[in-house]
Amino acid sequence: MDALMNFGTGIFGGAWPAVWTLIKIVLIVAPMMLGVAYLTYFERKVIGYMQVRIGPNRVGPWGLIQPIADGLKLLMKEIIVPSGANKGIFIIAPMLAIAPALAAWAVVPFTDSLVLANIDASLLYIMAITSMGVYGIILSGWASNSKYAFLGAMRSAAQMVSYEISMGFSLICVLMVSNSLNLVEIVNVQDQGRFAGLGLSFLSWNWLPLFPMFLVYLISGVAETNRAPFDVAEGESEIVAGFHVEYSGMAFAVFFLAEYANMILVSALTAIMFLGGWLSPVGFLPDGILWLFAKMSAILFLFLWFRATFPRYRYDQLMRLGWKVFVPICLIWLVVVGVWMMSPLNIWK
Amino acid sequence: MDFQTAVFFFLSAILVFASLRVITARNPVHAALHLILAFFTCGGIWALLQAEFLAIAIILVYVGAVMVLFLFVVMMLDINIDRIRQGFWNYLPLGALLGLLMVLEMGLVLGSKYFQVPAAEAMVPAGVSNTKAIGALMFSDYVYPFELASLILLVGMIAAIVLTYRGPKHSKYTSPNLQVFVKAKDRVRVLQMPVEKD
């Protein structure tokens, strides 16, 4: 590592720290994009098998080249700007959708030392950045000058603002028990406790004492990423394709990438906040980045499983779930955790 | 000029430009978008002052929630910008007077001795979490003003609901509660019938 640093300083001089950060950003974003591509393949295969089909199997062995072929196809297609559309915003909207999904990765820790920016308030940063993802959807709906797109945008705006509240409340419980806003610290705290001492550290992760919050966060995460059964913003059977109905070619592909990048982000955050991040579930196995990837994959599989299982929520039921079920549960559990921490039974000392 | 100053001037230039566009843009949605840019840049300037909690809070609250709803409303309104601009010259003297007053007030506040803190004194020592410090102050020294502010917000919230409430609706309505908890047993009845022989 030192040799690499000296080599870099020799070539770039004073600009080396900036170049080194750029290299690290590429090292995070490039595998993520590849992950997005193969998540689409995984989704088609998983849903295929769940529906007793085979799924993509023509391009390459077992259809493995399919996502690359899809990407190339979309890259070659023309981007059509509808007449009467607000051109500038129409082009900017997909970028606004994907930028927060990528920017949030700046503070996501992969192990306790492998993190791009280990800032003090990384949890707040994540909440702030991900809350901006909704603009891409609203603006695309408005700028398309299309009724269906506008309906999708309106639905999505109301939905994401509602579910952000329950998501925020569940994260408040996490930061209360971890006594920190730093994601590395949040994971390290989950490694302590009675069960961790017995070598059963998966029982001392946050999911068990904060079980209702874990469920609320997971379900709100599905809603925040506009995935089935909360995909009313797209709602193929009701409003054609919702907010991106007028988009074609690469502009559409960017929306697609943003959705899947957001799914990977939410699964990474769920793994870090509630499932112990890179910690190994049992004492005799070493911690490591592979555990984080395994947990993320399991949660991503849940996302796909939901899509193959549940019918879409009706809009009023979706709003009811957010405001009348999740928000009260969060408020109650917030008080429960507060009382628990102040009582002699406190397990987070 | 060191790096920090350069970043400050860069962000300030964007902030001033965005704020100007908020009041000059012809399209109300563009104006709202520039307001979002202004909030975001403002967060950047606060982060430069090492006030990371405030910087993130303004982005989380204003950009992430308030402006989304604002945009939501602006998009659905049909605003005729030319009719709004008609009285521009009539209102200009009053507006200019108010603007001058505000500049004067800000000058007095910023020029007072409370704002003349040397930069070195205002710097937070390393290892102190901004969020924790604000939280500790908010719930100790400033607990009454803080609770008062939240009470005022609550009153405002209830007032807004009361003002827009138009009495109970007497339309046909099915409770989603009953719908969600419905069982197959309630809807379908399986009858056992003897086979008809003839």
Side-chain angles (χ1 to χ4, degrees):
Chain A
M1 211 61 194
D2 283 339
L4 181 68
M5 288 296 160
N6 290 332
F7 174 72
T9 319
I11 292 183
F12 294 104
W16 172 244
V19 175
W20 177 230
T21 310
L22 274 180
I23 292 174
K24 283 195 279 193
I25 291 172
V26 170
L27 283 180
I28 292 175
V29 171
M32 228 259 304
M33 283 294 145
L34 204 68
V36 166
Y38 277 91
L39 182 57
T40 64
Y41 170 79
F42 185 51
E43 169 166 38
R44 294 166 73 177
K45 274 289 187 195
V46 165
I47 294 183
Y49 283 122
M50 282 182 181
Q51 296 168 348
V52 207
R53 297 184 281 116
I54 293 175
N57 69 340
R58 282 289 172 267
V59 191
W62 307 291
L64 271 173
I65 316 290
Q66 185 70 47
I68 312 291
D70 287 343
L72 267 178
K73 184 198 82 172
L74 286 170
L75 204 61
M76 297 294 172
K77 283 176 97 171
E78 183 188 358
I79 298 176
I80 299 163
V81 181
S83 63
N86 197 312
K87 197 174 175 199
I89 297 183
F90 186 82
I91 300 294
I92 282 180
M95 303 176 196
L96 282 177
I98 197 166
L102 297 181
W105 284 93
V107 297
V108 173
F110 296 98
T111 68
D112 48 5
S113 54
L114 205 61
V115 45
L116 181 62
N118 193 2
I119 61 170
D120 223 16
S122 42
L123 184 62
L124 273 177
Y125 171 85
I126 292 251
M127 284 163 78
I129 292 293
T130 50
S131 71
M132 288 184 348
V134 66
Y135 282 110
I137 293 173
I138 304 185
L139 290 176
S140 66
W142 178 77
S144 297
N145 193 29
S146 152
K147 289 184 184 65
Y148 290 125
F150 194 61
L151 281 173
M154 291 287 113
R155 286 177 170 201
S156 167
Q159 177 190 340
M160 286 175 92
V161 170
S162 320
Y163 279 87
E164 226 156 58
I165 294 172
S166 48
M167 214 169 181
F169 269 124
S170 56
L171 292 185
I172 286 175
C173 288
V174 172
L175 80 90
M176 271 167 76
V177 302
S178 343
N179 196 16
S180 172
L181 281 169
N182 184 301
L183 291 176
V184 177
E185 194 61 31
I186 286 173
V187 174
N188 283 336
V189 166
Q190 295 180 56
D191 203 13
Q192 299 156 6
R194 190 169 300 154
F195 288 115
L198 290 173
L200 295 168
S201 63
F202 70 98
L203 289 175
S204 65
W205 296 344
N206 280 338
W207 69 270
L208 190 59
L210 301 178
F211 191 67
M213 293 300 100
F214 172 55
L215 289 185
V216 166
Y217 186 82
L218 193 64
I219 298 171
S220 305
V222 179
E224 280 287 294
T225 48
N226 282 324
R227 293 285 303 178
F230 299 99
D231 57 346
V232 290
E234 288 179 38
E236 297 92 340
S237 52
E238 305 154 15
I239 47 173
V240 195
F243 62 93
H244 58 49
V245 67
E246 302 292 347
Y247 282 83
S248 59
M250 210 52 208
F252 166 75
V254 171
F255 273 120
F256 204 73
L257 286 177
E259 181 180 332
Y260 283 82
N262 269 322
M263 274 167 72
I264 300 183
L265 180 69
V266 166
S267 61
L269 290 177
T270 316
I272 287 168
M273 310 281 181
F274 294 99
L275 298 176
W278 56 84
L279 300 175
S280 119
V282 281
F284 57 85
L285 289 172
D287 301 339
I289 191 168
L290 287 179
W291 288 114
L292 180 66
F293 289 153
K295 288 164 190 172
M296 281 166 64
S297 312
I299 298 162
L300 284 171
F301 178 74
L302 273 183
F303 271 78
L304 309 182
W305 195 1
F306 288 159
R307 184 174 165 191
T309 310
F310 297 123
R312 184 178 305 131
Y313 261 98
R314 211 174 61 199
Y315 193 73
D316 61 325
Q317 292 174 344
L318 183 145
M319 279 296 157
R320 170 182 164 275
L321 182 71
W323 287 102
K324 294 189 178 171
V325 179
F326 282 174
V327 171
I329 290 179
C330 289
L331 288 174
I332 290 170
W333 205 253
L334 200 68
V335 177
V336 168
V337 171
V339 171
W340 192 354
M341 289 185 71
M342 284 299 139
S343 74
L345 298 169
N346 184 5
I347 54 170
W348 300 279
K349 258 177 281 182
Chain B
M1 193 161 68
D2 61 346
F3 182 66
Q4 230 176 0
T5 322
V7 172
F8 171 75
F9 279 117
F10 178 66
L11 290 177
S12 314
I14 296 177
L15 184 56
V16 170
F17 167 76
S19 316
L20 276 177
R21 287 296 291 156
V22 172
I23 50 172
T24 57
R26 294 188 69 82
N27 188 328
V29 172
H30 287 181
L33 286 177
H34 279 105
L35 189 56
I36 295 167
L37 179 63
F39 281 136
F40 199 79
T41 325
C42 182
I45 290 179
W46 286 355
L48 208 61
L49 288 170
Q50 298 197 358
E52 83 259 6
F53 177 75
L54 287 179
I56 294 174
I58 195 176
I59 292 172
L60 186 63
V61 175
Y62 281 89
V63 178
V66 173
M67 286 311 292
V68 173
L69 299 176
F70 209 81
L71 208 59
F72 192 97
V73 174
V74 167
M75 277 176 178
M76 289 202 278
L77 296 178
D78 186 23
I79 297 174
N80 188 344
I81 200 78
D82 290 322
R83 206 185 308 149
I84 293 173
R85 293 218 168 168
Q86 265 171 9
F88 181 75
W89 293 106
N90 293 339
Y91 291 121
L92 186 65
L94 186 65
L97 189 70
L98 284 177
L100 266 178
L101 265 177
M102 280 166 82
V103 168
L104 197 71
E105 283 171 359
M106 275 167 70
L108 283 175
V109 170
L110 292 176
S112 71
K113 65 179 167 45
Y114 298 108
F115 271 85
Q116 306 302 319
V117 183
E121 225 173 276
M123 286 293 166
V124 187
V128 173
S129 167
N130 214 305
T131 320
K132 257 184 197 162
I134 288 179
L137 273 180
M138 208 182 255
F139 287 98
S140 57
D141 293 4
Y142 299 100
V143 64
Y144 292 119
F146 177 65
E147 295 297 334
L148 201 65
S150 40
L151 209 65
I152 291 171
L153 277 176
L154 182 68
V155 170
M157 213 156 80
I158 294 170
I161 294 170
V162 168
L163 283 175
T164 52
Y165 184 60
R166 294 274 178 265
K169 265 190 270 179
H170 296 293
S171 53
K172 277 190 178 172
Y173 173 75
T174 44
S175 162
N177 256 325
L178 299 175
Q179 289 181 314
V180 170
F181 289 111
V182 80
K183 296 273 183 305
K185 217 170 55 192
D186 308 335
R187 295 278 169 93
V188 183
R189 202 151 47 102
V190 181
L191 295 177
Q192 296 289 335
M193 286 177 75
V195 181
E196 286 181 36
K197 276 178 243 167
D198 199 15

